[in-house]
Structure formats: structure tokens, C-alpha cells
Amino acid sequence: MKKIVTFIICAMLCQFSCSSSSTQDQNTDPDNENPSESSIWSIPVADIFDGGPGRDGIPALENPGFVSVEDEFVLLDQDLILGYKNGDDIRAYQHIVLDWHEIINDNVGDVSIAVTYCPLTGTGIGWNRVINGKETTFGVSGLLYNTNLIPFDRETKSNWAQILNESVNGELIGEKAELISLVETDWKTWRTMYPTTKALSLNTGFSRTYGVYPYVDYKTNNNFFLFPVPKDNRLPLKERVLAVIDETDARAYRFTDLVSENLVRETFKGKEYLIVGNENFMISFELDANYEGLQFNYVFNGSEIVLLDNENNEWNIFGEAVSGPRIGQRLKSAKSFMGYWFSIPAFYTTEIYNN
């Protein structure tokens, strides 16, 4: 049986995050009990905690509204966003909304995407919502594993571990989520790269104080944790890092690794990776045989162009060749995501890149 944590501060925060208008709350799942309470889990049940609000107590958004950069809404230059691009459809999912909703089910052109974000681990990961040929939506179960979000899919009510990108309980246990590449950066950098971007409207139908962080000083206080989690003190626990994942292993990259060269090319677990970035973003690509011979240079100057290679191809932040002989091709995104340092070794055997 999962442990029930009754921290007073947690209860207060959950009360804030669950306060809502009547507009959309009626659309949440009326069955608030976990349908897989006594079934098999692939993760240690003793380490699963009840966050307090119950299933759908933190309401995920479905097909939310968007506004253009010309519209006035609460978003500061330094606010973090998760950016996604599908052709000419470019969208920003800002943390100040995800802090309160954690999952956004969206349709961007021909892509059904779930933008999942856990405020307690700082991890933003994109999933394809088409599973085994069926489109589903994801909701917030209210459960946590290693203080990380456990989404559930509404098609089967299976529970998933966000950082593992895998169903850990229910009909789909063992199923892997198909990752969709997102870029985390600040709003100023993103809108400069993509001035035609849209951002989430703050008119979500829920009464939330977007722009007011619901967890006090959690994201900056290395000693403040709401739930038990293993703590690896090789780095500051709440430092944001990029984690490249390969099966049960990970390698973590710090913003300071990219200050001087802006580009790291190395081998991890027998695969060649390209890590690119600056003080405002980090991205990663897995270089297969088609691209191993290319030599890349970092040329980012604020536009969407990040890389230039020895064939004079220009590549954007999503690895798309936007000019040159390889125009239309795309570098393979590595399995990676941004998050608080502590969350990576809590799930993976983790190395720290040493330059």
C-alpha cells in the first residue's frame, strides 16, 4: 500500500493548486480512486507517495487557447517555457501555467502531444498521445514516485512514470512513451528566435494565480523537499541540468559546460552525441551514420539558426536543416530532458560530463 504523507505545507499547497472555477472542473474524471490500487507495479510500491489532491485534483488542460506575442499577458523575459515546433506552427508552453496544471494535451497540426511537466523535479517532457494506434489524453494521478509526476492515460487508466517515460502500472505496464522533442529556454530567447510563436493563454477556464509560484521557494532552496527522495550531492540538488538517457544510464550536462565552446561532441554508451547551448538553453542530438562525417560550428546569434556545418548547411534548434544541400533533413533528437539535478540519479545510473 502506498504511503500517505501528511505534511501541513503540502496540504496547503495542494489546496491552492486545486482551487478552480466551475468552467472545466466538471470535465475531470469523476472516479477519484486509483483503479490499479492493488495491481502490479514495476516500481517499488513503498516509494510511491500520495501527493494529496487525488486523481485530476490538479487538472490537466486539453486543447488550450493560445495568444500571439503581440497580446498582453503575464510573461516575463526570464520566464521559462517549453517550446515546440511542427512546421510553421510554433508554440510556447510556459512554466507559470504548467506549475499549476502539469500536463497539457494539445494537437499541433498532425501531432497529438502531451506536454508533461513536474514542478517538483523540474522535468518537462513531450509524449506522443497516440499509443498502440489509439489517441488518448493524460491526466495527473496525484501520485508521485521519487517525488516525480505519475500521469495516467484516460484510455486504459494505466499509470506512467514521467522521468522513466514508461507505464509502470495497469494494462499498458512496460509500454514506452514515444518522445517528442521540446526545447526549454526563457521567453525572451524563444520569442527572439521565433517571433511568430504563440504562447498559452492565461484564460484557461480555471482560477489560478499564474505567475505566482505555488511552491514557495522550492525551486531555489536545495534543502526544501516535500517528499522523500534519494539525494546525490555531487551537484547542487536543484541545479538545472540536461540529462541524456540511454536505457538505465544517463549523463548530465551543466550550463557551465557550454560557456566557452557552446558545443560538446562525444560518445556515450557507444553512441555519438552533439550537445549544444549557452546560458539560456541546452539541446542534444544523436548523430547516426548519415551525419557522423559532418563538422559542426555553433553560430547562434539570436535567430533560429544554431549550427553551421562543413557542407554549409544551417540547422535550427530542433535540428532541422533550414538551408544548404541537406535542407529538409533533420538531426535525430537525443533522448534527453532538462530537470533538477537530484531527479536524474534518483532514476538513472548517472555520470556527470567532465570537460
Side-chain angles (χ1 to χ4, degrees), residues 165-287:
N165 301 302
E166 180 179 324
S167 176
V168 293
N169 165 258
E171 180 181 323
L172 296 178
I173 191 169
E175 185 81 20
K176 286 287 189 180
E178 179 185 344
L179 299 182
I180 293 176
S181 179
L182 303 175
V183 172
E184 182 183 275
T185 187
D186 62 86
W187 173 237
K188 181 179 180 180
T189 298
W190 180 254
R191 75 168 189 270
T192 301
M193 284 193 294
Y194 293 108
T196 62
T197 187
K198 295 175 287 187
L200 285 168
S201 170
L202 300 189
N203 183 18
T204 63
F206 292 93
S207 178
R208 299 293 190 274
T209 52
Y210 301 119
V212 177
Y213 183 62
Y215 300 100
V216 200
D217 65 342
Y218 179 89
K219 60 185 174 183
T220 57
N221 187 338
N222 287 301
N223 298 314
F224 178 21
F225 287 86
L226 293 174
F227 299 91
V229 64
K231 298 178 179 67
D232 186 324
N233 291 307
R234 285 180 289 168
L235 295 177
L237 296 175
K238 302 288 180 63
E239 180 177 339
R240 298 195 70 80
V241 300
L242 174 72
V244 172
I245 305 302
D246 188 300
E247 299 296 336
T248 60
D249 297 294
R251 181 168 287 173
Y253 299 84
R254 310 174 71 182
F255 281 102
T256 53
D257 295 329
L258 299 172
V259 168
S260 59
E261 297 298 329
N262 299 113
L263 187 150
V264 171
R265 187 169 183 166
E266 64 162 358
T267 300
F268 173 56
K269 300 283 289 184
K271 300 173 183 176
E272 189 174 16
Y273 290 96
L274 188 68
I275 316 299
V276 185
N278 58 27
E279 67 276 11
N280 297 318
F281 67 85
M282 286 191 284
I283 54 175
S284 59
F285 304 105
E286 181 184 333
L287 299 178

Side-chain angles (χ1 to χ4, degrees), residues 61-337:
L61 299 181
E62 294 188 21
N63 292 315
F66 287 82
V67 295
S68 68
V69 294
E70 289 81 15
D71 290 305
E72 292 186 8
F73 58 101
V74 180
L75 199 58
L76 304 176
D77 283 352
Q78 65 271 24
D79 284 340
L80 293 178
I81 63 94
L82 294 170
Y84 178 64
K85 179 180 183 293
N86 184 16
D88 293 328
D89 198 336
I90 303 165
R91 304 189 182 192
Y93 303 88
Q94 52 266 46
H95 280 207
I96 64 169
V97 175
L98 287 161
D99 282 336
W100 293 91
H101 295 284
E102 302 190 3
I103 298 175
I104 297 173
N105 299 282
D106 201 8
N107 290 282
V108 187
D110 59 350
V111 176
S112 300
I113 185 174
V115 177
T116 69
Y117 180 73
C118 179
L120 299 185
T121 54
T123 45
I125 305 174
W127 289 353
N128 190 333
R129 293 194 289 106
V130 177
I131 303 171
N132 295 333
K134 293 183 178 180
E135 182 180 273
T136 188
T137 57
F138 287 90
V140 180
S141 72
L143 303 177
L144 299 164
Y145 171 53
N146 283 344
T147 208
N148 177 241
L149 168 70
I150 295 182
F152 73 95
D153 70 85
R154 300 190 190 281
E155 179 69 25
T156 71
K157 300 298 191 294
S158 298
N159 290 304
W160 299 67
Q162 188 219 22
I163 287 180
L164 292 177
N165 301 302
E166 180 179 324
S167 176
V168 293
N169 165 258
E171 180 181 323
L172 296 178
I173 191 169
E175 185 81 20
K176 286 287 189 180
E178 179 185 344
L179 299 182
I180 293 176
S181 179
L182 303 175
V183 172
E184 182 183 275
T185 187
D186 62 86
W187 173 237
K188 181 179 180 180
T189 298
W190 180 254
R191 75 168 189 270
T192 301
M193 284 193 294
Y194 293 108
T196 62
T197 187
K198 295 175 287 187
L200 285 168
S201 170
L202 300 189
N203 183 18
T204 63
F206 292 93
S207 178
R208 299 293 190 274
T209 52
Y210 301 119
V212 177
Y213 183 62
Y215 300 100
V216 200
D217 65 342
Y218 179 89
K219 60 185 174 183
T220 57
N221 187 338
N222 287 301
N223 298 314
F224 178 21
F225 287 86
L226 293 174
F227 299 91
V229 64
K231 298 178 179 67
D232 186 324
N233 291 307
R234 285 180 289 168
L235 295 177
L237 296 175
K238 302 288 180 63
E239 180 177 339
R240 298 195 70 80
V241 300
L242 174 72
V244 172
I245 305 302
D246 188 300
E247 299 296 336
T248 60
D249 297 294
R251 181 168 287 173
Y253 299 84
R254 310 174 71 182
F255 281 102
T256 53
D257 295 329
L258 299 172
V259 168
S260 59
E261 297 298 329
N262 299 113
L263 187 150
V264 171
R265 187 169 183 166
E266 64 162 358
T267 300
F268 173 56
K269 300 283 289 184
K271 300 173 183 176
E272 189 174 16
Y273 290 96
L274 188 68
I275 316 299
V276 185
N278 58 27
E279 67 276 11
N280 297 318
F281 67 85
M282 286 191 284
I283 54 175
S284 59
F285 304 105
E286 181 184 333
L287 299 178
D288 59 27
N290 293 323
Y291 301 100
E292 287 178 351
L294 292 181
Q295 300 300 316
F296 295 92
N297 292 304
Y298 173 88
V299 294
F300 179 70
N301 63 0
S303 72
E304 71 167 339
I305 306 302
V306 176
L307 294 168
L308 177 68
D309 66 32
N310 54 322
E311 294 179 355
N312 288 320
N313 300 292
E314 292 183 318
W315 306 84
N316 69 13
I317 201 168
F318 288 96
E320 298 171 323
V322 296
S323 70
R326 293 181 183 253
I327 190 170
Q329 295 185 28
R330 184 167 186 165
L331 300 174
K332 181 181 180 181
S333 294
K335 294 180 179 178
S336 64
F337 55 86

